[in-house]
Every structure is written in C-alpha cells, then in structure tokens.
Amino acid sequence: MVTVHPTAIISPSARIGDGTVVEAYTVIGPEVVIGRENRIGPHVVITGRTHIGDCNRIYPFVSIGYPPQDLSYSDEPTEVVIGNHNVIREGVTIHRGTVRGRGRTEIGDHNYLMAWCHVAHDCVIGNHVIMANGATLAGHVTIGDHAVVGGLVAVHQFVRIGEYAFIGGKSAISMDVPPFMLVSSERETRVFGPNKVGLKRKGFSTEALKALKKAYKILFRSGLTRKEAIEKVKEELGGVPEVTRLVDFVESGSQRGITR
C-alpha cells in the first residue's frame, strides 16, 4: 500500500512501490518509477525519467530529474537512477544526464547527501559516499565507494574521486583525487597523505596503512617523475592490494590530471 498525502500531486503514469509514503505538496511526474518502502518528504519534486530504488529517505525541497544546466541540452530523453537506502537531505538537487555524456546521472546505495548538495548531469556516485552540506559536483564527476566530500567543496567537471578519499571542507577540486588519500585546499589543492582516520574506521590493516603512506611519499613527495615513481612503487609495494588500486588509478586515463 502506498500512502499519499491529499495535497500531493502524482501523475497516474508514475509507478510507486508498496510501503512508500509521499508527504504533503510533493509532485511526482509521469515517467518516474519509485520502489518500495521509501519516505518522500513534503515539497519534493521528482520528474523526468527518474528511477529510485527501495528504502530511500528524501527530505523537503529536494529536486530530482530536472534538465541539466547544460546549454547544449535539447530535452533529449536522458535519466536519473538512484539505488537503495540513500538519505537525501533538504534542498538537494540532482539533474538528469546528457546525450553528450552517459545519458544518465547515477547514485548507488547507502549514500548520505547532506543539505543543499548539488549533483550535476552525468555524475556517477558509488556506494557509502558522504557529501557534506553544500558540496557541489559539476558535470561528469565520478566518486568511488566510501569517499567523503566535505562541506562547501566544489568539484570541477570530469574529475574522478577515488574510493575512501577524504576531501576537506571549502576545497576547490580541479584535478583527480587518488583513492585512500586526504586532500584539502586553501590557496592550492594538495594531497596530504593517506586518509588514516577514515581508513582505520573502515577496518583497513596497519600494514595497508603503512604501505599506502610509503606509496604516497614515493608518488607525491619524492621528486621523481610520475613514471619513475610508479615503477618504484610497483617494485617495492606491488603485492599490497590497496597500493595496486592506487597505482591503477594514477596510471589510468585522466581528463583533468592527478592532484599531487
């Protein structure tokens, strides 16, 4: 059974799963598909080709599925896909994709998007990601699992943020953020080393943390060229899975370069 407040406006074509609650003055468009056991707060607008999974909590004044802020967009049939068990707090905006991008903006499972965050077109957010208040993603940004994006952070388009990375508040991120690393910026964005506190909380071993710290020093502090640093890390730490993932990220194709 779906519980809908009398003031909510829901298109007859929308599909909503059992156990979902829709609160006052919310508007849901005709192409929207919503799963089971969601709670959608008052004054929410969900439109476009938007697919939302199960057990999500969406707070007031959230806007999902409106056209992207891209001047080349011409109302093509793109979409937003959101997984399960996400918390989307007040005032969050999530725009659908573009045909020049992936055609889809995608958010995984168990993410926490705090108040007034913005997720632009064609972004991909993994699982267990936290975006603090006012964090803003430009188009085509990718965020790996368990990453934390601090409050008022602005991320440039096409940037990749690796898994378990931590970005300090008020940072401006214009280049890729390596996985497992702690990054912050005042006048200049820098990698400060492994995200030790966050990785400990997630159960990473002492050996993995030591290896990541050594890899960080070689990759970002040794003065070697990137090729030389990668070869040295592979030679000395190639057997550590977390280091292998870090090196793979640095070696893989980047449109914005890597934060150092």
Side-chain angles (χ1 to χ4, degrees):
M1 178 178 177
V2 179
T3 303
V4 180
H5 192 275
T7 62
I9 301 173
I10 300 178
S11 169
S13 302
R15 294 159 50 194
I16 302 178
D18 288 343
T20 290
V21 175
V22 181
E23 298 186 30
Y25 302 104
T26 282
V27 178
I28 297 177
E31 297 181 286
V32 175
V33 178
I34 298 174
R36 299 167 57 90
E37 304 293 337
N38 295 282
R39 189 171 188 95
I40 302 171
H43 299 280
V44 172
V45 179
I46 306 174
T47 188
R49 295 188 175 186
T50 296
H51 190 290
I52 298 174
D54 302 330
C55 303
N56 297 284
R57 180 69 171 97
I58 301 175
Y59 282 75
F61 305 106
V62 168
S63 171
I64 301 174
Y66 267 103
Q69 296 175 128
D70 183 326
L71 296 178
S72 69
Y73 181 76
S74 299
D75 203 31
E76 295 92 353
T78 55
E79 60 185 352
V80 172
V81 177
I82 298 173
N84 309 311
H85 298 282
N86 296 289
V87 176
I88 302 175
R89 294 301 302 253
E90 296 86 348
V92 169
T93 52
I94 302 169
H95 290 171
R96 59 183 183 251
T98 64
V99 293
R100 294 198 306 169
R102 304 177 66 255
R104 171 188 294 183
T105 301
E106 187 169 352
I107 298 174
D109 304 328
H110 297 281
N111 299 295
Y112 199 117
L113 276 59
M114 297 186 189
W116 310 110
C117 288
H118 175 63
V119 180
H121 59 87
D122 302 294
C123 287
V124 179
I125 297 176
N127 306 309
H128 300 280
V129 170
I130 296 173
M131 291 179 62
N133 299 70
T136 299
L137 307 181
H140 311 279
V141 170
T142 301
I143 303 182
D145 296 347
H146 297 277
V148 177
V149 181
L152 303 177
V153 167
V155 183
H156 196 284
Q157 61 184 359
F158 294 104
V159 161
R160 300 177 303 152
I161 299 172
E163 63 263 37
Y164 294 97
F166 185 99
I167 301 175
K170 299 191 296 182
S171 296
I173 304 301
S174 60
M175 303 176 76
D176 292 352
V177 175
F180 312 109
M181 294 291 124
L182 175 65
V183 169
S184 185
S185 71
E186 291 182 2
R187 297 182 180 178
E188 181 183 16
T189 303
R190 293 177 53 198
V191 176
F192 287 90
N195 177 20
K196 292 186 293 184
V197 173
L199 294 176
K200 284 181 181 178
R201 288 174 178 170
K202 296 293 184 180
F204 283 79
S205 67
T206 301
E207 291 73 19
L209 292 176
K210 288 180 179 178
L212 285 168
K213 184 175 182 179
K214 185 174 181 180
Y216 155 75
K217 289 182 177 179
I218 296 171
L219 288 171
F220 303 114
R221 299 294 296 275
S222 66
L224 298 173
T225 66
R226 185 170 73 168
K227 181 178 180 181
E228 292 169 342
I230 288 172
E231 290 175 354
K232 185 176 177 64
V233 169
K234 286 181 177 180
E235 180 181 341
E236 297 186 9
L237 301 164
V240 181
E242 292 83 0
V243 173
T244 299
R245 178 68 193 100
L246 174 63
V247 169
D248 287 346
F249 184 96
V250 173
E251 280 192 306
S252 61
S254 170
Q255 297 189 57
R256 296 291 306 169
I258 304 291
T259 302
R260 294 181 65 90

